[in-house]
Amino acid sequence: LNSYGYLFNILKRRSIDEKHVVRKAAIICIYEIIKTMKNSLLLPMIDLLTDRIRDKAVSIRQTVIRYLSSCLDIFPDNKELIEIWLDNVLPSALDTEKTVQTEAFQSIEKYLFSQLTEGRGKNMTSMMKDNHFEVLKSVFLAFKQRGVSLSKISNKYILYL
């Protein structure tokens, strides 16, 4: 436990370092630690990731979106993680940077929309709060502006609302 606290503090400091490459290395290390903990989700480590979702570096924002989404593969039924994903990845689809939007769109498509079309999205939608639905409205508009067809999910999505 003591060594974990020491490592956590080092990663916390490195994740806010002024140098982009140091922050990126810390984010990668944090994710690798999370992946090894298949039996228990380390929420403080997840918090370190989410703290970087608004990083000034585009590549770090993209990486955090990718890693938070990948954590759903490792811990698919963890309600805290689902809520963290909804609070962080969903709004990232409205980021000012197109590449961040694209990363978020891909995650939303895979972890929310695809699950809805396959009839597995009830867990995710049951966790959604009013603010998530408000953001989702904007995401739908953004998808529409990008020419992404939402016809596949429209009927399934309505069933879960």
Side-chain angles (χ1 to χ4, degrees), residues 47-110:
D47 289 341
L48 289 180
L49 284 181
T50 60
D51 288 347
R52 304 306 337 140
I53 196 83
R54 300 279 178 243
D55 195 277
K56 60 186 173 189
V58 169
S59 67
I60 290 179
R61 295 196 309 262
Q62 290 173 292
T63 301
V64 170
I65 291 167
R66 193 174 319 112
Y67 287 172
L68 283 174
S69 297
S70 293
C71 285
L72 288 175
D73 290 328
I74 302 166
F75 306 99
D77 298 320
N78 187 293
K79 293 183 185 295
E80 293 161 315
L81 180 60
I82 292 170
E83 189 169 341
I84 288 168
W85 187 89
L86 288 167
D87 288 342
N88 290 279
V89 175
L90 203 56
S92 293
L94 306 174
D95 194 283
T96 56
E97 178 59 44
K98 292 283 186 199
T99 56
V100 175
Q101 288 177 4
T102 299
E103 190 71 46
F105 284 160
Q106 290 171 349
S107 290
I108 292 166
E109 178 126 35
K110 179 178 179 181

Side-chain angles (χ1 to χ4, degrees), residues 138-151:
S138 299
V139 170
F140 280 147
L141 289 174
F143 265 69
K144 184 178 178 183
Q145 289 172 345
R146 290 184 120 201
V148 177
S149 174
L150 298 174
S151 61

Side-chain angles (χ1 to χ4, degrees), residues 116-132:
L116 287 173
T117 59
E118 295 167 11
R120 299 179 299 137
K122 191 167 185 161
N123 193 24
M124 179 85 67
T125 55
S126 69
M127 297 283 304
M128 292 176 73
K129 298 177 183 157
D130 289 342
N131 60 317
H132 299 132

